[in-house]
C-alpha cells in the first residue's frame, strides 16, 4: 500500500502494520538522512474520504516514543517529500501512535503512516521545518533520479567491438537513454507536472 524512499538510496515497500489503520517503516542510519519520500504504491487506494498522516519518531533509549507530524498523502496527492534533517528529538504533539507499543530498535528511527479522515488531515499542523516545497523538491528529486539512471546505465557502456554475442540479452544504445534524459529534463523545465496528464 505504501512505500518509503530514504535519501535516494533505500526504497522500502514492506511497511509493518501495527494496527488496522497504522503502518511503520524503520529507518536505520537516520542520522545521515536529509529527506524521506513517502508514496502510495498504486495497488490499494485509500478508502473514500481518507488519507494518510505521516509521522516521524526518533529512537528514544529512555523509552516513550515521541512522534512528529510531517504532513500527509492522499489519493490525489499520492507522494510527499519531507525534510527530517532539521527535526529534533523530543519535539512533538498529539499523535495516533501514543497508545500503542510499536516494536522498534534502539538505534532506528521510524516513519509512521496513520489512515485518518481527510477533514482531520487538512486541519493538522506539521512540525516546523519538515515540509519541503513540493515543486522544488520534486524537481530536485527528479533531477537526481535522472542523473542516477544515466550514470548507472552509462557505467555498463561498451563499444560495439567489445560486445560479446548473447542472444538472450537485449542492448539499448546509450544515445537513446541520453535522448530520453534530455527530453525528460526539457519537459520538466517547461511544466513540472507534465507527467500527470
Amino acid at each position: 500500500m505504501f512505500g518509503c524512499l530514504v535519501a535516494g538510496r533505500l526504497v522500502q515497500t514492506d511497511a509493518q502494520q501495527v494496527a488496522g489503520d497504522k503502518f511503520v517503516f524503520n529507518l536505520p542510519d537516520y542520522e545521515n538522512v536529509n529527506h524521506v519520500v513517502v508514496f502510495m504504491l498504486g495497488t490499494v487506494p485509500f478508502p473514500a474520504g481518507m488519507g494518510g498522516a505521516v509521522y516521524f519518531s526518533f529512537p528514544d533509549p529512555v523509552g516513550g516514543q515521541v512522534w512528529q507530524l510531517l504532513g500527509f498523502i492522499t489519493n490525489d496527492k499520492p507522494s510527499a517529500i519531507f525534510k527530517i534533517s532539521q527535526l529534533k528529538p523530543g519535539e512533538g504533539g498529539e499523535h495516533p501512535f501514543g497508545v500503542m507499543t510499536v516494536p522498534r530498535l534502539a538505534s532506528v528511527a521510524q516513519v509512521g503512516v496513520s489512515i485518518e479522515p481527510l477533514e482531520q488531515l487538512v486541519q493538522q499542523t506539521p512540525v516546523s521545518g519538515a515540509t519541503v516545497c513540493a515543486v522544488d523538491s520534486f524537481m530536485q528529486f527528479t533531477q537526481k533520479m535522472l542523473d542516477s539512471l544515466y550514470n548507472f546505465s552509462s557505467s555498463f557502456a561498451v563499444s560495439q567491438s567489445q560486445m560479446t554475442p548473447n542472444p538472450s540479452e537485449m542492448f539499448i544504445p546509450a544515445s537513446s537513454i541520453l535522448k530520453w534524459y534530455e527530453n525528460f529534463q526539457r519537459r520538466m523545465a517547461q511544466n513540472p507536472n507534465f507527467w500527470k496528464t
Side-chain angles (χ1 to χ4, degrees):
M1 181 173 213
F2 307 107
C4 182
L5 171 67
V6 180
R9 58 191 166 120
L10 174 65
V11 176
Q12 297 182 38
T13 57
D14 57 345
Q16 180 182 5
Q17 188 168 5
V18 294
D21 58 353
K22 297 184 181 31
F23 303 83
V24 295
F25 294 97
N26 290 320
L27 298 182
D29 195 29
Y30 70 95
E31 299 94 343
N32 298 314
V33 174
N34 289 324
H35 297 81
V36 294
V37 180
V38 178
F39 56 93
M40 296 179 66
L41 296 175
T43 54
V44 180
F46 286 112
M50 303 295 277
V54 180
Y55 292 86
F56 179 77
S57 178
F58 286 95
D60 187 354
V62 178
Q65 296 172 279
V66 178
W67 290 86
Q68 301 176 8
L69 177 67
L70 301 178
F72 62 90
I73 57 174
T74 66
N75 290 335
D76 293 331
K77 182 185 141 194
S79 65
I81 302 171
F82 303 106
K83 186 172 188 172
I84 63 169
S85 60
Q86 295 181 350
L87 301 180
K88 294 178 178 50
E91 295 179 2
E94 287 188 34
H95 54 83
F97 293 91
V99 295
M100 338 176 53
T101 304
V102 179
R104 65 183 304 135
L105 302 170
S107 62
V108 176
Q110 290 182 313
V111 171
V113 179
S114 174
I115 299 174
E116 301 173 9
L118 290 175
E119 61 269 4
Q120 183 179 326
L121 292 176
V122 297
Q123 294 177 11
Q124 296 174 347
T125 305
V127 66
S128 64
T131 40
V132 178
C133 176
V135 173
D136 289 343
S137 294
F138 181 71
M139 291 285 286
Q140 290 174 354
F141 170 74
T142 304
Q143 185 63 49
K144 292 289 186 185
M145 182 189 66
L146 291 171
D147 292 343
S148 177
L149 171 65
Y150 182 74
N151 291 335
F152 178 78
S153 58
S154 296
S155 72
F156 293 97
V158 293
S159 68
Q160 203 165 21
S161 64
Q162 294 171 316
M163 292 174 63
T164 53
N166 185 350
S168 64
E169 185 79 43
M170 289 181 51
F171 291 94
I172 300 170
S175 60
S176 64
I177 292 181
L178 180 59
K179 184 177 179 181
W180 170 82
Y181 173 83
E182 291 168 347
N183 286 340
F184 202 95
Q185 278 187 312
R186 179 182 45 78
R187 293 179 75 188
M188 282 294 293
Q190 292 171 347
N191 176 9
N193 296 313
F194 81 91
W195 55 274
K196 293 182 178 181
T197 58

